[in-house]
Every structure is written in structure tokens, then in C-alpha cells.
Amino acid sequence: MKKIMVPALMTATLAVLASCGGGSGSGSSIPVVPGTPSPSPTPSPSPSPTPSPTPTPTDPNAEPTLLTLTADTTLPGFSGDDGYDRKSTGLVFNTLNYSASADSPVRYDAARRGFTFYFSPVFFRHSEDGAFSLARDNANSTASFSQYYGTAGDNQVRVTQLNPGSSNPTLPLQYCSLVLAKATYVDPTTGAIGVGVEPLSFGLMYDWDKQTLHGSAVYKGILLGLARGQGSNHVYDLDGTVEIDLDYDTSDFTGSIHLTGRDDKSGKVVDLGIIPLKADPPRGTLDYFYSATTAGDQMQSAMAGSKGQEFMGVFDAHMADPQSPSVTMKIAAAFAAKRSELL
């Protein structure tokens, strides 16, 4: 098991310790973030807010959130992969095309008050033997997202995590979150670059056996991911939005994913359009939700929170590279959303 240690952060609102865990795959420890961190170099922490409408952690009847867990907890969710190699000229070759899937990619370690992330065996494109550390990149972290970096053998690792908590200005989530991890290896002989990419969503999954929901709801959220295509000189860091309109009584849903890509070399921003979503098919129970996306790919998702307050998932898709239309790109992304309307 590979240990990735994150030191405690020197900010009053960030009482965290590193963690490592058992299980299969590589373990990556990212700290719990109670409250919103202030970006460097001039942090101005404020007292951690009491999540609303969630009861305070001292309430014995309080519903646990990602920030109030007190026991070791496996956090189910979803993970994807989007690895590739790239020549020193920028040309993408040797793409890896694995499908996203339901998983248990994260575990909360109560003793160390940290999350341990388990990446797939194909995440690292080069040997990563030995323990290694991740540190918070204060200069590039924001109130919405925390950035972490480190080395694993000859791989450079960078992790972006949506900060959990009610004070996140982009998307305040209590029960689920999302992560985009990248491992980069540079061949010292050829200069070719191997990149492993893994989008994750995870959280406290809704238990359809304990809670019945009626009516319908609208969930709105964001995504993180990557798009690349064999034979293209362009790789796109993805963000965007997702909307799910869910009927609790039938489990039927419709929705959409709106993708925006930023060329990682030129910085050019391109609108990749909208992918429609529709239950494929309704399952009749509120456990998992599936929709076709493009070219036979799929979105996979589930609700989070005891009353289905949030939504999490991953998806794969294929579409033409807008700057090299003859190239078909593979897209892998994770998303998280919050119930904005209860109808």
C-alpha cells in the first residue's frame, strides 16, 4: 500500500491530519476541511460556520456530514479513468480507454481525521514504489477548491478537490464531493509525457431502504474532468454544469451536462456543448441512476444525504475535438450537485 501523507494545515479553521488506509489500490490522503480555507498568501480564516439546515455536530440526532464524521467510514461513489501519453511536440498517442464505474474510492479515517483516496491501478503511468506526501498548494487553492501536489516515485501528482461545507461559494455541499487527480511522468530519454487522470465523486449515499421520497426535485451542480483524443495536439481541462430533474415516485429523470474545455497548452476556452440525459431506463427504485451519453457511453450516479439532498456521479462521453474535427476525444468527468428545488 502506498501512503500519501498530507501535513496538518496551519490555519485555524483547518484542523486536519494526514491519513493512510488499507484496501486495494494506492492510498491518497486528503484532509477534511471544516470551513472554507482562505487562499495564500494572506489567509484570513473565519470561525467554522454551523452547516444549515444540518443540525450541529453536538446534537445526538444530527445527520452526519463529510465534516462531522466521527467513526471510520467507507464512502461509496464513482471513479473514472482517462490516461494518455503525449509526445514532446504535444501530440497525444497511446490513449487508455477504461470505463467509469461505481466504486468505494474514499475512506474516512477517524483517528487521523482525514480522507484516504484509492486510485485505480492504471492511474500511475510509471512505478510509484514507496511512500510519498502531498502538500496543499495554498497559492492556487481558493475558497471553492483546494489544490494538493506531491511526488510518487517519478510521477508528479496533483489533486483538485471541491471543498465540502456550507460556506463554499461555488457549490456548498454537505454529503458528497468531487475530486480530479492527475499523475504525470516525463520520460527522461524521449521527453514523452505519460498522464493518468482519475475523476472521483464520493459521499454519504442515500439509503433507499430507510427513507422514502415522493414528488420530484431538481438538482444543479458542477463537474471536473478531462478530454483528449488520439492524434490530437489538444488536451482539455473540463468544467461545466449538470442538471438532473428527478421524479422520486418513478425514478425517471431527465437532465443535461454542459461542458466547457480549456486547452491546457494555449489556454483557449471552447464550448463543447450540451449532452442530454434521460433515464436508461427508470429502475423503479432510488438506488442508482444511469443514462446514455454519447457513442455508447454512460452516466452513472446516485443520491447523497439521508433525504437525497445531493447528487453525485461520473460519466464517459466521446465527441469531436473542436480544434481537430477529425479526431474523436474521450471525455471522463465527475460531478456533484445540490437539490435546488423540491416540487
Side-chain angles (χ1 to χ4, degrees):
M1 177 58 55
K2 310 300 183 294
K3 297 191 297 183
I4 307 178
M5 307 297 291
V6 180
L9 299 181
M10 304 304 293
T11 305
T13 56
L14 304 181
V16 299
L17 290 173
S19 68
C20 59
S24 60
S26 295
S28 172
S29 227
I30 303 297
V32 177
V33 184
T36 302
S38 299
S40 292
T42 56
S44 54
S46 57
S48 298
T50 300
S52 177
T54 306
T56 63
T58 57
D59 182 344
N61 298 315
E63 177 183 0
T65 73
L66 291 180
L67 299 181
T68 63
L69 294 171
T70 58
D72 291 347
T73 306
T74 296
L75 297 168
F78 305 87
S79 62
D81 293 287
D82 211 4
Y84 63 95
D85 292 322
R86 197 173 196 179
K87 295 183 178 180
S88 57
T89 60
L91 184 70
V92 174
F93 70 103
N94 191 30
T95 54
L96 302 180
N97 294 299
Y98 296 96
S99 297
S101 62
D103 202 351
S104 293
V106 182
R107 182 171 176 79
Y108 175 73
D109 186 316
R112 298 178 176 86
R113 298 189 65 201
F115 291 136
T116 298
F117 288 79
Y118 297 102
F119 297 128
S120 72
V122 299
F123 176 63
F124 293 104
R125 304 303 300 278
H126 196 266
S127 173
E128 80 287 1
D129 290 341
F132 59 102
S133 298
L134 289 177
R136 189 170 186 272
D137 182 353
N138 291 320
N140 290 300
S141 295
T142 68
S144 298
F145 295 94
S146 288
Q147 300 282 342
Y148 300 90
Y149 66 94
T151 59
D154 293 324
N155 301 274
Q156 299 298 314
V157 181
R158 179 163 286 273
V159 173
T160 301
Q161 183 185 12
L162 178 71
N163 295 328
S166 61
S167 57
N168 189 309
T170 297
L171 185 62
L173 298 178
Q174 302 287 339
Y175 310 103
C176 68
S177 187
L178 62 88
V179 162
L180 183 67
K182 291 184 182 181
T184 304
Y185 166 73
V186 180
D187 188 309
T189 302
T190 65
I193 302 170
V195 181
V197 178
E198 188 153 358
L200 304 173
S201 63
F202 65 96
L204 297 160
M205 188 175 288
Y206 166 77
D207 190 338
W208 56 93
D209 287 327
K210 293 182 178 179
Q211 179 71 43
T212 300
L213 300 176
H214 294 290
S216 58
V218 178
Y219 295 84
K220 295 182 180 180
I222 62 171
L223 64 91
L224 291 175
L226 185 127
R228 81 315 181 258
Q230 176 111 0
S232 173
N233 285 296
H234 309 289
V235 173
Y236 301 94
D237 295 314
L238 299 178
D239 59 22
T241 59
V242 60
E243 180 172 325
I244 305 289
D245 302 334
L246 173 62
D247 185 321
Y248 291 139
D249 295 296
T250 66
S251 79
D252 198 9
F253 71 89
T254 59
S256 62
I257 296 167
H258 188 183
L259 291 167
T260 301
R262 181 182 181 276
D263 190 306
D264 70 349
K265 295 292 187 184
S266 69
K268 181 178 180 179
V269 176
V270 295
D271 188 335
L272 296 174
I274 294 175
I275 299 174
L277 301 174
K278 182 173 176 55
D280 187 26
R283 292 171 55 81
T285 186
L286 300 175
D287 51 2
Y288 291 91
F289 305 93
Y290 303 94
S291 173
T293 55
T294 61
D297 297 310
Q298 192 177 66
M299 179 273 282
Q300 306 177 57
S301 55
M303 291 189 291
S306 67
K307 298 177 178 62
Q309 300 97 317
E310 296 171 4
F311 212 91
M312 59 185 176
V314 294
F315 66 92
D316 297 312
H318 285 79
M319 62 178 58
D321 183 337
Q323 297 185 88
S324 301
S326 62
V327 173
T328 298
M329 302 186 301
K330 179 182 185 291
I331 290 169
F335 65 87
K338 180 178 181 179
R339 187 164 59 203
S340 61
E341 299 176 57
L342 188 59
L343 306 175

